[in-house]
Each structure stands twice: as structure tokens, then as C-alpha cells.
Amino acid sequence: MGVTKMSLHTTEQIEIAEIAKVLAHPARVAILQYISKQEGCICNDIVDEVGLAQPTISQHLQVIRKAGLLKGTFEGRNLCYCLDVDRFKELQKTFTSFFNTTSASCC
Amino acid sequence: MGVTKMSLHTTEQIEIAEIAKVLAHPARVAILQYISKQEGCICNDIVDEVGLAQPTISQHLQVIRKAGLLKGTFEGRNLCYCLDVDRFKELQKTFTSFFNTTSASCC
DNA sequence: AAGTAATATTGCAATATTACGATGAATAAT
DNA sequence: ATTATTCATCGTAATATTGCAATATTACTT
């Protein structure tokens, strides 16, 4: 079916899965790394950097944006994409908490 | 196409994406949480716990197993699934490192 | 041996994701 | 004004994911 049965899961589980989905593609990981590296807040050199077609990058950016991780400001005709650090740290917290809670074992 | 162009990305980016993919479904998050919670190393009450059909759970377990996160030992006809804590901590380290490296911003 | 319980595997339908060419909208440059 | 540049969106093809019924497999129980 390809449809996730959301009703079965807790809000926390869904939230973790949502975050993970953003990171679940190397291109998006690359984009996040690149954006955070660029001090000058340079925009779509991302296309050159990552090596995928512009519409594809745009699509990936949308996924990142929908997760609240992107801040974009126009500078002339250039769009300057930046990481929303606050949101990013929020996600990190959620993940860290998951990893710390989920670690006991039995065998 | 639905095919990820792996050649474009670094090993680290691919690794992070692989890990994230495991966590990118609430059912798998639920399974990991449940497994780690069960001291007695109880097996497929997972089906009851998570609420999906047995083949579906089995499929999700396979994804988790392929990521090296699952240790399974047979106890009679019961299969006892446990978290591979070492591997889990490895993943945690990779993630933590990613989050810590990727945090600077510009605007 | 026959029946039952626990898992895995197979096959398939529905949907989601990934990638890109074509196109569109906005702005800068000429 | 015309053209070029930057980015988003649309449409579409290829592939992946999710979910389950049916079936297979294995091992315990009787």
C-alpha cells in the first residue's frame, strides 16, 4: 500500500520518523552540511556542490523546509538559504532523547 | 526514478542516510523502543504491541536487522529479538557527530 | 504422525520517493 | 525592451516502500 498507518503510533514515534525522513537521503544530508558550512550564506551553489539537477535540489530543499529547518531570504535574484539552528537543535534533542531512552537490552 | 544517485555522495552522507532510513518509519521506532524496554527479551508480542500484521512486522524487522541493530536467538520456536547495543551506540555516535558538526549558520 | 504455534517468504496492490525536462515567474543585466 | 539568471512548480517515468493475504518453514506438543 505504501501508506503508513499513523493511527497506530505515538506522537513521539511519528515525530522521530518525520525527522529521520529528512535525513534519510544523502542529498539532503549533503545540503544540510553544505548550508551550515557556508558562512557567507551562499545559496544555489548547492546545485553545483551536490551534483543533482536544479529541480531535484529544489525538491529536496522543500522537504527540508517542511521540517522547519530552512530559513530563506532573497538577495536580489539570489535566494539565500540558511539552517534554522533553533529548529535543528530541537530535532537534535528529540533524537538524543530517543537514543538515550532506547538503549537497554536483554541478551 | 526513485533511484538515489549514490555516486554523488560521500560515504558519511550515505551512512547517515542509511541509519536515518531505519528510523524513518514510526513502526520501526516503536519496535526499537519496545525491544529495548523488554527486559525478558520477549519476541513477537511486537505484533500485538505495534498493531500491524505479522508479515508487515517481519518486514520491518528485516530492515532493522539489515542495519545490524538486531540480535536474534531462538528459544524453542520462539525467536527472541534484542537490540544490538554496540551497533546502536555506534549509530548514535555517527548521528551525534553529524548534529554537532552541522550547526553553524549565517543568517 | 498430526496438529499447532511462531516466523519468514512470496506475491501483489496502493502509494511515496527520486530524478529530471519543460515551463513559469521574478529580477538583474544589457 | 530584451535577454539572461535564479529559483519554483508541473508533469512524468522509474523505482522504492508499505501493508497484507496466502503460503512455506521450522519446531514444539500431543
Side-chain angles (χ1 to χ4, degrees):
Chain A
M1 297 184 170
V3 171
T4 297
K5 284 192 169 177
M6 288 304 190
S7 55
L8 295 173
H9 312 109
T10 69
T11 312
E12 193 203 355
Q13 286 157 0
I14 292 171
E15 199 192 346
I16 290 171
E18 300 270 275
I19 303 170
K21 247 177 226 171
V22 177
L23 304 178
H25 195 290
R28 289 194 289 269
V29 174
I31 290 172
L32 287 169
Q33 287 177 333
Y34 184 69
I35 284 179
S36 83
K37 206 175 53 186
Q38 291 311 105
E39 295 247 339
C41 192
I42 291 155
C43 30
N44 273 27
D45 314 314
I46 302 176
V47 174
D48 296 339
E49 172 75 10
V50 179
L52 288 164
Q54 179 266 320
T56 309
I57 295 292
S58 199
Q59 212 170 234
H60 281 304
L61 282 169
Q62 202 182 331
V63 174
I64 300 175
R65 196 182 313 125
K66 273 184 183 161
L69 281 169
L70 221 49
K71 279 194 293 191
T73 44
F74 277 101
E75 290 183 359
R77 68 185 163 191
N78 293 45
L79 182 45
C80 169
Y81 274 128
C82 299
L83 192 66
D84 187 321
V85 181
D86 289 342
R87 176 72 175 141
F88 192 72
K89 288 201 169 144
E90 234 178 87
L91 302 198
Q92 177 170 22
K93 210 173 271 183
T94 305
F95 253 92
T96 305
S97 158
F98 166 75
F99 270 109
N100 288 335
T101 317
T102 312
S103 59
S105 132
C106 49
C107 42
Chain B
M1 297 183 168
V3 169
T4 297
K5 283 193 171 176
M6 289 304 190
S7 54
L8 297 173
H9 311 109
T10 69
T11 312
E12 192 203 356
Q13 286 158 359
I14 293 172
E15 201 193 346
I16 290 171
E18 300 271 273
I19 304 169
K21 248 178 226 170
V22 178
L23 303 178
H25 195 291
R28 289 195 288 269
V29 175
I31 290 171
L32 286 169
Q33 286 176 333
Y34 184 69
I35 284 178
S36 83
K37 206 175 55 186
Q38 290 311 105
E39 294 248 339
C41 189
I42 291 155
C43 30
N44 274 29
D45 316 314
I46 301 176
V47 175
D48 296 340
E49 172 75 9
V50 179
L52 288 164
Q54 179 265 321
T56 308
I57 294 293
S58 197
Q59 214 170 231
H60 281 304
L61 282 168
Q62 203 182 329
V63 175
I64 300 175
R65 195 183 313 125
K66 274 183 184 161
L69 282 170
L70 222 49
K71 280 193 292 192
T73 45
F74 277 100
E75 289 185 0
R77 66 185 161 193
N78 293 44
L79 182 45
C80 171
Y81 274 128
C82 300
L83 193 65
D84 188 322
V85 181
D86 289 342
R87 176 71 177 143
F88 192 72
K89 288 201 169 146
E90 234 177 86
L91 302 199
Q92 177 169 21
K93 211 172 271 182
T94 305
F95 254 93
T96 305
S97 157
F98 166 73
F99 270 109
N100 288 335
T101 317
T102 312
S103 59
S105 132
C106 48
C107 43

